[in-house]
Amino acid sequence: MKIYNTLSRKKEEFRPIKDGALSMYVCGPTVYNLIHIGNARPMIVFDTFRRYMTHRGYDVNYVSNFTDVDDKIIAKANEEGVSSDEISERYIAECKKDMEGLNVLPATVHPRATQEIGGMIELISDLIEKGYAYKAEDGTVYFRTRKSKDYGKLSHKNIEDLEAGHGREIKVKGDDGKEDYLDFVLWKPKKEGEPFWPSPWCDGRPGWHTECCVMAKKYLGATIDIHAGGEDLIFPHHENEIAQSEAANGVPFANYWMHNGFLNIDGEKMSKSLNNFFTVRDISEKYDLQVLRFFMLSAHYRSPLNFSAELMEAAKAGLERIKTAASKLDFLLKTAADGEPSAEKAEEIKEFTRRFDEAMDDDLNTADAVSVVFELVKFINTTADENSSKGYLKALKEELLSLSDVLGLIVEEKEELLDADIEALINERQEARKSKNFARADEIRDQLLKKGIILEDTRQGVKWKRKD
Ligand code: AMP
Ligand code: ZN
């Protein structure tokens, strides 16, 4: 597997720290609103990377955080007159719903910044002890950027470039208690009405870069295989994560750094601040979210991707072609005669996996991998018919489902429950409740919910409807 490593700016052969295992940290969203489809890009591409590595036999430990303490969350809480916790809880739940719709697997762990403050205080204390950080008069703790010996190695910036940029800024902003304008905040004092935690320096809260260092180390170790996120995070976020982690731990923070390109709209980065965004929820009103996933995977993850109605329509049609091939196989399988494909045919089918893997091994080239899936669809359409044996059709179907599954695409139509089946399950649930078997009753409710059937207990008995 070759991965483009932002550190070396080269494609490198992936060598895990531990044979057969992969530790990966992906910076997650700041939860103050519904996520937009730009935020969904790293979720989809790195989920696909994770699925692929699992398919290649790696035991993947995948950690992705929720940033649940931040100026934007506080601003939103004040606007609504509720607590920051209420805002972050709400949008974590909403984000999880969107992830489910996008078929993004839950991370092995989803740590939250507010639950890891103790670890952050430890890290900052350690950095102060080692001379890498200092407390200013107002209680703010800063990192001594210039002391970090290879600062800029990820973003390929040198201190002189940074000085030129910051020199202008400092004249406008004035001195704010830093020894050096290149220094960045590790801990900041509370302001009126903000959430805060006690610390040896002042009541306050951690800076954003500190969070990810602490959570990555706690759940994955001091050196991890891969750290990932959108390319806007390279500087300063990831550069500052490296500076802190490596100063404290004395070992490399991550061996590979992967960054996805921007999702653009009219050639401009989609973002909350530019107000040029669509939320995942907006898209779900018009499309099955599988279409959005497929649209994202049709491009290479490092290329910029422009969102447009035409490309979404093309993605919808493409996904439909794959689904049609899957249902054609199901249809043929109902009446196919027993029999196995010849060794040659079986080999021909397996060749699609080989070519798919080859594309994915080249720095996760999902665009080429999708082309291989389309070739398989064409192969199905031209070779599967009423005369095909059951074994042959099954092998084709397994191949199609296995490749789609690595991409996280659901291509089998959900089997619809017939009204009579629903009624029977509802009766069984009533019986279960009568005999106080509430576990079974809940299980039936959940099973129906998964199929899009919503139950409502009314005085007139149980009513049900299909979710549209
Ligand atoms: P944020 O909540 O802004 O910290 O973003 C969460 C994740 O989404 C980060 O990995 C960002 O790099 C990524 N991201 C935000 N906007 C875009 C965009 N327009 N295209 C691609 N990735 C983005
Ligand atoms: Zn991060």
Side-chain angles (χ1 to χ4, degrees), residues 29-31 33-40 43 91 94-95 98-99 102 272 277-281:
T30 308
V31 279
N33 223 323
L34 291 174
I35 58 163
H36 62 67
I37 58 177
N39 302 133
M43 289 181 184
Y91 290 110
E94 297 293 0
C95 179
D98 288 337
M99 284 168 66
L102 293 165
K272 292 258 166 68
F277 63 91
F278 290 109
T279 63
V280 170
R281 212 53 66 80

Side-chain angles (χ1 to χ4, degrees), residues 27 212 237-238 241:
C27 293
C212 292
H237 184 51
H238 288 163
E241 281 189 39

Side-chain angles (χ1 to χ4, degrees), residues 235-262:
F235 188 85
H237 184 51
H238 288 163
E239 197 69 67
N240 290 355
E241 281 189 39
I242 294 179
Q244 289 174 71
S245 288
E246 300 193 352
N249 304 325
V251 290
F253 180 32
N255 290 337
Y256 302 84
W257 288 83
M258 294 175 79
H259 292 100
N260 64 271
F262 289 145

Side-chain angles (χ1 to χ4, degrees), residues 27-30 32 36 38-42 72 208 229-233 260-264 269-271:
C27 293
T30 308
Y32 65 101
H36 62 67
N39 302 133
R41 192 169 186 198
K72 294 186 203 109
W208 174 36
E231 68 181 1
D232 51 340
L233 301 188
N260 64 271
F262 289 145
L263 179 83
N264 294 331
K269 180 194 173 197
M270 185 176 285
S271 75

Side-chain angles (χ1 to χ4, degrees), residues 446-462:
D446 290 348
Q447 186 187 344
L448 286 168
L449 196 62
K450 276 204 187 108
K451 300 261 181 195
I453 310 296
I454 299 165
L455 300 188
E456 204 187 330
D457 293 309
T458 70
R459 275 198 215 160
Q460 291 79 34
V462 182

Side-chain angles (χ1 to χ4, degrees), residues 41 45 294-301 303-305 364-367:
R41 192 169 186 198
V45 300
F294 190 62
F295 159 76
M296 298 271 186
L297 296 179
S298 305
H300 190 276
Y301 77 94
S303 309
L305 174 59
L364 200 74
N365 194 336
T366 54

